[in-house]
Amino acid sequence: QVQLVESGGGLVQAGGSLRLSCAASVRIFSINRAAWYRQAQGKQRELVAGITSGGSTDYADSVKGRFTISRDNAKNTVYLQMYGLKPEDTGVYYCNARFLTTWSTNDYWGQGTQVTVSS
């Protein structure tokens, strides 16, 4: 069973920054794709940023240029560095680990960490 533990959320003023961490119970390089999702109250969960085992990254248009996803294989941790935070970035941020096989896709989720950006 893969366990993911997020940390680093909190309350910040608009324009501020936060760094989220996702500690995994498995070797990060074994995860085909690690990602951060967020869910605002009353809205669907949406992809924020992802990073593949090969190091390729992708971002939601709304966060490009402000957020950076990275990983530290030695610490088995994935990070989301967030700058220039806006009130619309408020939500619960979830870490996701996706494992792909020839026959299946397996997703694991953390418990989430709250990010609140005040105007």
Side-chain angles (χ1 to χ4, degrees):
Q1 185 73 11
V2 176
Q3 292 184 327
L4 304 170
V5 180
E6 301 102 331
S7 61
L11 173 64
V12 64
Q13 289 187 334
S17 62
L18 285 173
R19 189 178 79 158
L20 305 184
S21 299
C22 171
S25 62
V26 296
R27 298 293 182 96
I28 288 291
F29 61 72
S30 71
I31 300 174
N32 294 103
R33 183 171 184 265
W36 287 95
Y37 287 74
R38 69 186 178 192
Q39 187 166 21
Q41 194 168 7
K43 296 187 177 181
Q44 289 189 332
R45 192 174 296 188
E46 63 175 355
L47 175 68
V48 175
I51 184 167
T52 69
S53 55
S56 298
T57 58
D58 64 290
Y59 297 90
D61 288 342
S62 60
V63 307
K64 283 181 181 176
R66 300 188 297 122
F67 292 9
T68 302
I69 188 170
S70 63
R71 65 182 190 213
D72 185 331
N73 289 344
K75 295 183 178 180
N76 293 324
T77 300
V78 178
Y79 300 100
L80 184 67
Q81 179 67 58
M82 306 185 290
Y83 294 107
L85 284 162
K86 304 175 180 179
E88 51 264 42
D89 294 317
T90 295
V92 179
Y93 284 67
Y94 297 92
C95 181
N96 166 264
R98 174 164 291 178
F99 296 84
L100 304 174
T101 71
T102 303
W103 308 276
S104 65
T105 298
N106 297 300
D107 281 310
Y108 296 88
W109 297 90
Q111 82 287 351
T113 185
Q114 177 71 45
V115 171
T116 303
V117 184
S118 62
S119 57

